[in-house]
Amino acid sequence: MQVEKPGRYIGNEVNMIVKNPQSVEIRFAFAFPDVYEVGMSHLGSSLLYSFLNAREDTYCERVFAPWFDMETHMRRENLPLWALETGDSVKDFDFIGFTLQYEMCCSNVVNMLDLAGLQVLASERGDDAPIIIAGGPCAYNPEPLADIIDVFYIGEGEANLHEILNRYREHKRNGGGKREFLASILDIEGVYVPSFYDVSYNQDGTLAALTPNVANAPAAISKAIVRDLEELEYPITQLVPLIETVHNRVVLELFRGCIRGCRFCQAGFVTRPVRENSPAKLMKQAEELMGATGHEEISLVSLSTSDYTGFDELSNGLVEMCTPKNVNLSLPSLRVDAFPLELMQKVQAVRKSSLTFAPEAGSQRMRDIINKGLTEEQILTGIKTAFSGGWQRIKLYFMIGLPGETDEDILGIAKLCEKVVEAYYEGKDGKKARPVSVAVSVSGFVPKPFTPFQWEGQNSREEIARKQSLIRGAIRKRQISLSYHDSLLSSVEGAVARGDRRVGAAIIRAWQLGARFDGWSDKFKFEIWRQAFEDVGLTMEFYNERVRGTDEVLPWAHIDTGVSQKYLLRERENALNAVVTPNCREGCSGCGAQTFSVNGGVCNG
Ligand code: SF4
């Protein structure tokens, strides 16, 4: 009772998996490097929790990053980090598996290892320490955490985690050291063991090479994906959090991958190709999960809800199921050019919440550069449709600092927002009409690995500040409110996103200087990170602001997502010429992801 929200730390939620730890061979701590409320809202974690616990030989428990007050308490009382299910110290588990959802969680990974009583550097942990495995979106560039994590798993957990655990079970039965075990899993698709690779650098600080130092370490590590989502068993129960979490709801995964190819979006490329779940499977899952949890909301999740081919069938079915039970249906990630007015009116019959759309850029030229595939007419028509249905609060997301951007493109954001306000008042008496509210959120673009923009420079903080004030100065209408993403945070995010192995030292140094929960803007302290980079002889500018040559060895070059370098270079060229590439359903542009031969997608072999 000495900490805020004790419910974060005690487990025992409805649907928690209970096993006898003595009767399993493998104990796995699933570690989410953020606070309980965030981690418990994450679909992937919930899927893997059920997936791993379906094994009789394994007990998968959960551990979240302790909040500041609990960390103080733990350090004072010498309490090692524990798993929620049994309260046992995770230091004694076979595996601690981190999910890396966001670059800014890296200081929490280090802190959790330390709180567990483990050495931070993999090379300093002995055979008695658990195997530290990490996956998730940020594992696609594993290098910044390469000295800390024993093994990265690149891709979707359901594909090959079982095989890793099967091999581990055999290894444990037969005995042997950790290095031996790690060497024994190198042939599994998606496995990357950084200690089996040496890194060398050029005089100018760029990477010279990353080479295997053991015979069986592959030169390229291919991501692992589930070939047929329909065959994947989805959990029919779900944990019900003890305290209010970010999202308290049943979540249905429509599909993985994305047909769009927005050139700034890492998720859109690394998760290719598209694989869908059928509406029938999702309906059944919704029914079972509602019964198992009592949640009052169902949300659909994917990179672009409107692109789900079974959207009408599923949404109509869900409305029918939800309405008599007073269950809300939430439809995020809707494209503005496919606003389903009739459905939205059914879903939000009484209380109309604000609608969010992401034009991403203000001018047509810029939207073509990023391959957003939206015209101004489509944006305004979609928003007008929403206005006609009674919505009057709109949120719009934009990015600044995009490649090839001019001040005119920046001013285009202000112009577009003003047109949205004008569209609302069209044909209305301005004095009598209920006021419209347009909330505009502007963030600085952070180039990410595995996108056509991976070679580009990130705008400096000064340049982003200048562009922010340009927009501010150009917006005249009081109905528009502006907010900005913290550009200091974008600097650290960028340096970690495209960092090499040396960035790990800066992460550890930042943690030593007190960095925690850096994704929380009120907890993030830029000065710590600036100091940390300086202390280890690095600068964030080197990683962020430089335009990389196309012949430069990129720190993530040994990871193969299926999307070829040739394709990314072609897309970069198209971007520079503002040429739009059709989406996968309009025509395949040969990105390379067809090699996965998946079922239920657009490029199924
Ligand atoms: S191979 Fe073609 S259809 Fe498949 S993801 Fe790539 S571009 Fe799209």
Side-chain angles (χ1 to χ4, degrees):
M1 296 307 286
Q2 295 161 43
V3 294
E4 181 195 334
K5 303 191 187 176
R8 287 169 170 163
Y9 310 103
I10 58 176
N12 284 301
E13 298 94 335
V14 170
N15 296 334
M16 184 183 92
I17 309 268
V18 179
K19 292 188 182 182
N20 176 1
Q22 317 304 332
S23 67
V24 296
E25 286 181 90
I26 304 170
R27 295 193 70 183
F28 193 108
F30 189 90
F32 197 98
D34 207 321
V35 77
Y36 178 90
E37 297 93 301
V38 176
M40 285 293 287
S41 305
H42 180 241
L43 171 69
S45 303
S46 144
L47 294 179
L48 284 178
Y49 178 72
S50 302
F51 179 79
L52 291 175
N53 275 316
R55 295 175 66 100
E56 273 189 17
D57 62 359
T58 302
Y59 192 6
C60 174
E61 306 186 39
R62 294 159 298 146
V63 57
F64 300 92
W67 195 243
F68 295 86
D69 54 352
M70 181 55 105
E71 180 182 344
T72 307
H73 182 75
M74 289 167 73
R75 293 196 184 278
R76 193 176 56 222
E77 302 293 325
N78 218 4
L79 280 177
L81 190 69
W82 67 89
L84 297 192
E85 275 67 10
T86 55
D88 290 344
S89 164
V90 296
K91 188 184 180 194
D92 302 322
F93 280 43
D94 297 283
F95 285 90
I96 300 178
F98 284 98
T99 177
L100 308 172
Q101 292 298 316
Y102 180 40
E103 289 82 1
M104 302 305 284
C105 70
C106 54
S107 61
N108 276 5
V109 171
V110 177
N111 198 38
M112 288 171 79
L113 289 173
D114 183 66
L115 282 171
L118 294 164
Q119 293 294 331
V120 167
L121 288 173
S123 58
E124 292 178 1
R125 288 190 298 267
D127 279 348
D128 55 340
I131 289 157
I132 311 299
I133 184 168
C138 292
Y140 281 98
N141 175 18
E143 288 309 291
L145 290 175
D147 287 335
I148 295 163
I149 303 295
D150 294 316
V151 50
F152 287 93
Y153 179 83
I154 316 291
E156 295 166 0
E158 300 96 335
N160 284 336
L161 268 181
H162 277 333
E163 182 56 22
I164 295 175
L165 295 191
N166 291 344
R167 301 251 187 120
Y168 179 77
R169 190 185 52 209
E170 289 316 305
H171 161 83
K172 199 173 173 185
R173 285 178 187 167
N174 300 331
K178 190 187 286 180
R179 199 176 153 83
E180 248 175 290
F181 167 67
L182 293 174
S184 77
I185 55 171
L186 287 172
D187 63 316
I188 300 176
E189 196 173 50
V191 165
Y192 170 54
V193 180
S195 59
F196 292 145
Y197 297 78
D198 292 329
V199 184
S200 57
Y201 299 92
N202 297 311
Q203 285 272 311
D204 63 1
T206 56
L207 198 63
L210 188 140
T211 29
N213 58 32
V214 292
N216 59 339
I221 295 97
S222 176
K223 77 173 177 192
I225 63 163
V226 176
R227 260 60 175 187
D228 189 343
L229 276 199
E230 200 60 11
E231 284 194 351
L232 192 66
E233 271 190 39
Y234 272 67
I236 50 164
T237 106
Q238 187 179 310
L239 283 152
V240 183
L242 287 179
I243 57 172
E244 192 73 25
T245 55
V246 178
H247 299 301
N248 251 330
R249 59 198 189 185
V250 161
V251 182
L252 303 178
E253 186 178 30
L254 303 184
F255 60 92
R256 295 182 184 178
C258 187
I259 59 166
R260 293 283 159 183
C262 298
R263 295 180 180 126
F264 56 86
C265 177
Q266 186 189 45
F269 290 106
V270 298
T271 59
R272 283 182 175 210
V274 161
R275 289 142 294 148
E276 294 194 332
N277 276 310
S278 70
K281 179 180 175 186
L282 293 171
M283 284 296 295
K284 185 165 173 282
Q285 197 197 352
E287 191 143 22
E288 280 168 342
L289 286 177
M290 292 306 297
T293 61
H295 279 319
E296 289 162 356
E297 183 168 303
I298 295 181
S299 179
L300 308 184
V301 69
S302 69
L303 290 172
S304 178
T305 306
S306 319
D307 289 330
Y308 178 51
T309 52
F311 182 73
D312 289 343
E313 183 183 342
L314 178 69
S315 49
N316 288 325
L318 287 174
V319 166
E320 227 167 85
M321 182 198 288
C322 292
T323 311
K325 295 179 180 156
N326 283 329
V327 168
N328 280 332
L329 179 60
S330 155
L331 303 167
S333 306
L334 287 175
R335 281 179 66 88
V336 67
D337 55 345
F339 183 72
L341 179 62
E342 213 179 301
L343 172 70
M344 289 299 284
Q345 281 180 316
K346 279 190 215 155
V347 169
Q348 294 192 1
V350 186
R351 207 184 122 257
K352 293 201 164 29
S353 67
S354 73
L355 290 174
T356 303
F357 298 115
E360 313 285 7
S363 70
Q364 193 57 51
R365 191 185 77 90
M366 214 54 240
R367 281 192 299 273
D368 291 346
I369 287 180
I370 62 175
N371 206 38
K372 185 67 194 175
L374 276 181
T375 62
E376 181 169 295
E377 200 193 332
Q378 285 171 321
I379 296 170
L380 291 174
T381 307
I383 293 177
K384 277 187 209 167
T385 309
F387 287 152
S388 73
W391 279 268
Q392 62 199 94
R393 284 186 296 142
I394 304 283
K395 276 190 203 157
L396 297 175
Y397 282 114
F398 293 96
M399 281 184 292
I400 53 175
L402 289 159
E405 186 177 72
T406 63
D407 285 357
E408 214 173 302
D409 299 313
I410 296 292
L411 294 171
I413 296 177
K415 278 191 200 141
L416 180 60
C417 295
E418 301 223 320
K419 282 184 190 167
V420 169
V421 173
E422 283 157 17
Y424 177 79
Y425 288 106
E426 247 174 46
K428 287 194 180 91
D429 178 343
K431 286 192 189 117
K432 287 191 191 145
R434 287 158 68 204
V436 67
S437 140
V438 180
V440 181
S441 169
V442 180
S443 59
F445 169 60
V446 179
K448 294 280 168 91
F450 303 106
T451 67
F453 294 154
Q454 63 179 356
W455 295 275
E456 303 299 331
Q458 182 173 332
N459 273 189
S460 66
R461 292 184 292 281
E462 295 72 27
E463 183 61 357
I464 291 290
R466 189 187 69 79
K467 289 177 175 175
Q468 288 173 343
S469 65
L470 263 183
I471 303 175
R472 202 180 309 120
I475 287 183
R476 308 256 173 266
K477 298 198 185 298
R478 64 188 159 73
Q479 294 89 345
I480 302 172
S481 61
L482 255 183
S483 66
Y484 302 111
H485 190 76
D486 185 350
S487 65
L488 296 174
L489 206 140
S490 301
S491 293
V492 179
E493 182 187 335
V496 176
R498 291 193 293 171
D500 54 36
R501 208 172 271 202
R502 294 169 300 186
V503 168
I507 293 171
I508 295 173
R509 183 68 189 131
W511 163 72
Q512 287 166 341
L513 293 171
R516 309 280 189 277
F517 291 98
D518 294 294
W520 296 62
S521 51
D522 57 333
K523 305 296 172 213
F524 169 72
K525 296 189 186 82
F526 180 72
E527 186 44 34
I528 285 184
W529 283 93
R530 197 204 53 72
Q531 183 70 50
F533 271 78
E534 189 182 311
D535 287 356
V536 301
L538 300 173
T539 68
M540 288 182 229
E541 289 74 16
F542 173 78
Y543 295 102
N544 289 341
E545 293 176 24
R546 212 161 42 85
V547 177
R548 289 153 170 81
T550 51
D551 54 350
E552 185 175 326
V553 181
L554 300 171
W556 51 93
H558 54 299
I559 306 296
D560 178 9
T561 66
V563 174
S564 69
Q565 169 101 344
K566 203 167 119 208
Y567 171 81
L568 292 179
L569 279 169
R570 201 165 71 222
E571 276 300 280
R572 184 191 195 213
E573 196 59 34
N574 285 339
L576 297 179
N577 297 316
V579 173
V580 172
T581 300
N583 72 52
C584 297
R585 282 202 192 106
E586 290 165 344
C588 169
S589 46
C591 76
Q594 72 275 19
T595 52
F596 286 106
S597 305
V598 299
N599 287 332
V602 273
C603 48
N604 41 359

